[in-house]
Amino acid sequence: MATPAEPAPFDLAGPALRISVTRGAVTLPIAQVPSLEEGDRIRVLADFPTDQRARFLLMSAFLQGATNPPAKDWIASAEPWKKKEKDRQLDLTVPKGARQLVLFLVPESGGAAGAIGDAVRGKPGEFVRATQDLNQASLDRARLDSFMGAIRAQENSHPEYLRSVAPMLARSLSMKLNADCLDKVLELQAACLLEHREALVLADVHSSSLTETLAGAPVDLALQLSSTREAGMGYYSPYIGVVRDIARVFGAFSNPQLDYLPSLTQRQGEGAALLLNAAPSFAKPRSVLVAGMPAIEANSPPRLRAAVDRPLCGARPDLLLPVDGAPLIYATDYLREVKLRIEALGGTVDIPVRARADKGGYLIDGPLPAGLTGKLTSRLHGLWGFDPYEGPAFKLEFPATGEWRVAGEPASLVSGRDNPLELEGPSPACVVSASVRRGNDSAVPVDATVTDQGRLRLTLPLKDMRPGPLTIELRQLGAVEPASLSVRAYAQASRLDGLTIHQGDSFGTLSGQRLDQVERVSLGERELQPTALRRDGDVDRLTIAAEEGGPLEDGPSRARVRLKDGRTLSVSVAFEAARPGVSLLHRTLKMGHSTGSIALTTKGAQLLPDTGQMVFSARLNEGPRLTAKDRVEIATIDEDTHIDLVAGPDLQIQGSDVLVASLDPAKLGPAAFGPLQFRVVRESGASDWQPLAILARLPRIMSVDCSGTGQCVVKGERLFLIQSIGSGKANPLTIAEGFTGDTLRVPKPVGDIWTIRLRDAPSEIVTLAARSATAATVSK
């Protein structure tokens, strides 16, 4: 694709004008006038040097849009070389219906004024477009000059700061920033940032219709758009358009006698210096310098916004009020006499401020009155041209005494990791440092920021701190002593997934992790206590039962869980359908004994030896018929050990509601003993636990020798499983806990039988014959 040649920039100094505008009793220099209105009185003088030889005719023309030629008396002229003041200057009054004002400097020649008047009246639309574009381009050039001046000033004073200052300047003035320039050596950064300066200007959100659709968009989006085809071809910034396509603006009405030369105005005070992109010609065609003036329209101040929502500390000597949305506040004098009005108890206080593009907002430009304290509201105000201007509001805080507290829910700080914490207090924005200590340990610095809600957000570094009481210290600006707050760090808390309660039950199941820390659960007015905890993969399941009262009916959707360390957590509650009812029908126990040992005899109907077998049947009291998907779960009373019986050899369905199951205790593992329970588990839920049997580990008795007088010698293995052995009314022999021997000396029984009570089932009776025998004899 063909690339258009770069046009000459507006870098040739032309003549200057002095312009003032009077509205009512107030007169302002042109640099402070963003727009004109009907009835304004305008004075324009040509500011030529004393040795000026070429004579220029000063002309003005009011315009009324592209389709309405101006009246003849809307076009005026002055002869700056004359001695009388009334002949040298233009004294204009904005007529009713006027919308634009354009100024001309015409080399003096016969008929020049008439030719200009005929051109303006013949094609007013071209001049309307010209004055609009030139006025906007002048404002864009003002932003460019401000950017370039700040970059060069930084280069001369502190070039090492360009990396941080340049992005803020670009954001404040809506300029395109080449971030790659900041990676160059210091000596080359400024020159790189200012390359292709005409392409640096982005559209001003205050005046560009395209950018209006992007109001509030971040600057990096604007920077991306600036590199698009539309930006390069002049649709994104009027300044780029004027620079790239001068001939298009005026070519339609140039003639062999006059050639129209557009000029940008650099406005400072009453001065309006003209910048040209080509040298004027005094030979035919003579150059006519054209300058655009502010539009004649209703005042339209910028949408200046506060760049932060969080409170600011008003006591900081370098207090910055960050703003965005109006780059012209940095590049022009339109917004003037700006002050920060603070609403205090004794009335309002106005503090002067000044705009700083390199800071991105307004800096306080005067001392603050003494005695300001607490949280106050403030607002920027000033004058936009002739009219009062109300700017954005800011929340200010000044150092104050008062109580600091944890915001929101009580904090649950956990040692071993960093913890976020938000505090509320008298003036969070004025906290200059924060620290945390445990006991008399050294204080550890803490990162602190102020949130948009005015809270102080801390990140407590508790990775290397043990659980226990902590002290947070907050030092405010100007305070002699820090404020302190006591909190507590805990060990890793339980994780609560949910509490499930079935209709009709007086207990529920709490699932999560580290549920051994749970002390109790409050469900409305009911108190529930932990009864059994078991591990199901990576999840703890804690059974909690009501202390009194009937079933737990539908209640609150959340319950409060109190941990053993005093913390209180919240958990969701789900009420589900009633459990399926199940009852034990029949049970057959087979004693069994180890090969090579003397058999023991059991009398209790509940006792299941670990060497035995059990077959039992159960009936489903209600619900759909049994299917192959149903299973039976058997577990110890604490549910730590459990197995599932599924349809097959160990679980058979007799009918629609009866099942028969076989249990081999060995499948429960060597650590299983004590009461066993079972339940039926279906897709719709599990039944309540039902008692099944008492699993007892039996000792192996290898021999009994009663040949001596008064005592018998019993030898065997696992004798520690015996709690006591004896007969009749005599005191039984109690076996000490942790007994490791293989021989017992037991008094001869009154009859031939000893009664043995096992540690696993002390309520069940096991008997051993007291006649002399060995395992070999028994097996014969």
Side-chain angles (χ1 to χ4, degrees), residues 111-157:
I116 297 296
D118 291 342
V120 172
R121 289 177 51 78
K123 292 186 177 180
E126 298 295 340
F127 287 93
V128 168
R129 182 171 59 177
T131 188
Q132 290 174 333
D133 283 353
L134 288 173
N135 181 58
Q136 182 59 49
S138 296
L139 298 179
D140 292 340
R141 176 57 184 256
R143 291 190 288 124
L144 176 62
D145 289 343
S146 297
F147 180 72
M148 295 174 63
I151 291 294
R152 286 168 177 162
Q154 194 70 42
E155 178 188 25
N156 295 332
S157 58

Side-chain angles (χ1 to χ4, degrees), residues 26 64 77 87 101 126 129-130 150 204 218 298 380 405 469 489 538 552 564 578 658 679 702 707 773 778-779:
V26 179
Q64 198 175 10
S77 63
D87 296 329
L101 171 62
E126 298 295 340
R129 182 171 59 177
D204 173 11
L380 289 174
R405 60 187 178 276
D538 294 333
L552 300 171
K564 293 177 181 178
V658 176
R679 65 179 178 179
M702 308 305 294
S707 59
V778 172
S779 55

Side-chain angles (χ1 to χ4, degrees), residues 406-589:
V406 176
E409 290 289 327
S412 182
L413 304 177
V414 179
S415 63
R417 68 186 185 196
D418 293 344
N419 288 253
L421 183 67
E422 289 191 0
L423 303 180
E424 294 177 339
S427 51
C430 292
V431 172
V432 293
S433 65
S435 61
V436 62
R437 70 171 73 243
R438 186 183 187 279
N440 295 322
D441 295 345
S442 300
V444 178
V446 174
D447 293 333
T449 57
V450 180
T451 68
D452 291 346
Q453 293 75 32
R455 296 174 175 176
L456 188 66
R457 178 179 295 150
L458 306 178
T459 302
L460 301 183
L462 305 184
K463 186 175 181 180
D464 299 323
M465 286 192 181
R466 303 185 308 278
L470 303 174
T471 300
I472 298 175
E473 294 182 345
L474 306 173
R475 188 171 295 277
Q476 298 184 73
L477 189 69
V480 178
E481 295 294 332
S484 62
L485 175 69
S486 296
V487 295
R488 186 178 186 86
Y490 298 92
Q492 178 66 43
S494 301
R495 188 198 78 196
L496 305 179
D497 296 338
L499 173 61
T500 302
I501 299 174
H502 290 273
Q503 298 290 344
D505 287 350
S506 60
F507 62 91
T509 301
L510 183 65
S511 59
Q513 288 183 342
R514 295 296 308 276
L515 299 186
D516 56 308
Q517 299 184 42
V518 175
E519 182 178 72
R520 70 172 182 268
V521 177
S522 299
L523 181 64
E525 300 297 328
R526 304 288 296 273
E527 294 291 324
L528 292 78
Q529 297 290 342
T531 58
L533 175 66
R534 68 182 179 90
R535 190 78 171 170
D536 187 4
D538 294 333
V539 178
D540 288 348
R541 302 198 186 279
L542 179 67
T543 302
I544 52 173
E547 295 179 332
E548 57 185 14
L552 300 171
E553 303 296 342
D554 287 346
S557 60
R558 300 197 70 81
R560 305 291 295 176
V561 179
R562 181 176 176 83
L563 305 183
K564 293 177 181 178
D565 58 17
R567 282 176 289 180
T568 301
L569 306 177
S570 176
V571 65
S572 61
V573 181
F575 288 91
E576 297 187 354
R579 300 172 182 272
V582 65
S583 57
L584 186 65
L585 292 180
H586 299 284
R587 176 178 50 199
T588 301
L589 303 177

Side-chain angles (χ1 to χ4, degrees), residues 738-760:
F739 178 74
T740 58
D742 60 359
T743 302
L744 296 176
R745 297 187 180 275
V746 185
K748 289 183 178 180
V750 176
D752 292 334
I753 298 298
W754 280 303
T755 298
I756 296 177
R757 295 195 179 274
L758 302 173
R759 295 191 185 277
D760 294 349

Side-chain angles (χ1 to χ4, degrees), residues 83-102:
K83 292 183 178 181
K84 292 183 179 181
E85 183 176 288
K86 66 181 183 67
D87 296 329
R88 291 189 291 110
Q89 66 186 28
L90 292 172
D91 287 306
L92 310 172
T93 299
V94 178
K96 185 177 181 179
R99 292 293 176 264
Q100 292 87 26
L101 171 62
V102 60

